[in-house]
Amino acid sequence: MHHSIDAEDLLERFCRYVRLDTRSDPHSSTCPSTPGQWDLLRLLENELTAIGASEVRLTADGYVLATIPATSARAGVPRVAWFAHVDTAPELPGGAMPIVHRKYAGKPIVLPDDPGQQLTVDTTPHLREKIGQDIVTASGTTLLGADDKSGVAVVIGAVRHLLLHPEIPHGVIRVCFNPDEEVASGMTRLKLDELAADVGYTLDGEELGEIDCETFSADAAVLEIRGVSIHPGWAKGVMVNALRLAGSFLSALPAEVSPERTAGRDGFIHPVEVAGNADRCTVRMILRDFELAGLAAKRTTVEQVVAGLRIVEPRAVFTLTVSEQYRNMRYWMEEDMRPVEFAREAVRRAGLAPVSTAIRGGTDGSNLTARGLPCPNLFCGMHEVHSQREWVCLQDMAKSVETLLHLAELWHERA
Ligand SMILES: [Zn+2]
């Protein structure tokens, strides 16, 4: 069946969402981490109600949940959840002034509020493929917020389409808009029994036809170094400077196992922050690899460097703490590939070629998959995310909606 998507409605909603400043804050201890996210969450609660979704609810922790009741009379159709996050990356201002470039002609797009920010078909990946289509950018000083408001608009578009077309057979669809994906706590407070889904899809991918079912496995490592303090005037033979030890530690880490020197399927050790003084300091790192053995090897490398420093400077106290952040969703997906296979089939039915790459990062689905809800990530029209040059292609967003509709049908068909 061919679905004709209301692209103008998608565009109007998307532009409404990106005007709201919903950037998240890694230093906040509240959930959502910023008050701006509530504005979009409340707006979505209202829009879902207005388009006729059932069981619409905004939880105390900032999750909007809703249901599209089944149209299929079949028993045992798995319950499918669609996810998108409402926050935008903390590094750049939100609250975009969206600019719509209709029937993009292929000329450089100069963003008016900062003419240094330009999109050209030679320097912007995938832009050349969109000549003749409708593009949306920000105005130069902010993010567009397409990550992940294109996903939010796509989910609303798919909900609206299914509710307008009850002749499309599908099981129960659950919707979840969550906060704080960009600060890695997007799913921590989501109660899976409340969500009550069997399989999920995050709408948070870039390339047309993209299906991500493999992510990094990730640990965080924190090294605390305690030195010996004394007045520098009579420190000879007594002082142990924690900062100098931190410097030795960093220079002893293998330079080739770093994000700046690796790509593809290679993992890395990445120091992200050093804080402290001569008496004590803390080095924070992230460890990444696609395989658990590789991740363990990164941990061993760090441990060996610390062990070496303990020998060189026994008067200092080194405390290394490694904690799990997320795991490659492939480990679970391998046991039941249907969520991925159906997504590939849905992408093909939408007239596209499925594209899968191992993503050098995590998604909200990493956390959900490890907790028992298999959750691949799907494209939703965003490009060049986390930059002032972020843009979306409206026709890609419409294709993403179409993919979700085919997916809903597929889970009914194959039940
Ligand atoms: Zn995202």
Side-chain angles (χ1 to χ4, degrees), residues 85 87 147-148 181-182 203-204 382 386:
H85 63 90
D87 66 315
D147 178 6
D148 184 25
E181 190 271 350
E182 301 290 357
L203 280 294
D204 200 8
M382 62 173 84
H386 297 207

Side-chain angles (χ1 to χ4, degrees), residues 225-230 239-245 275-281:
I225 306 171
R226 178 123 195 231
V228 177
S229 290
I230 185 169
M239 179 184 280
V240 178
N241 189 329
L243 290 174
R244 289 190 184 276
L245 291 171
N277 53 35
D279 181 56
R280 58 173 74 195
C281 81

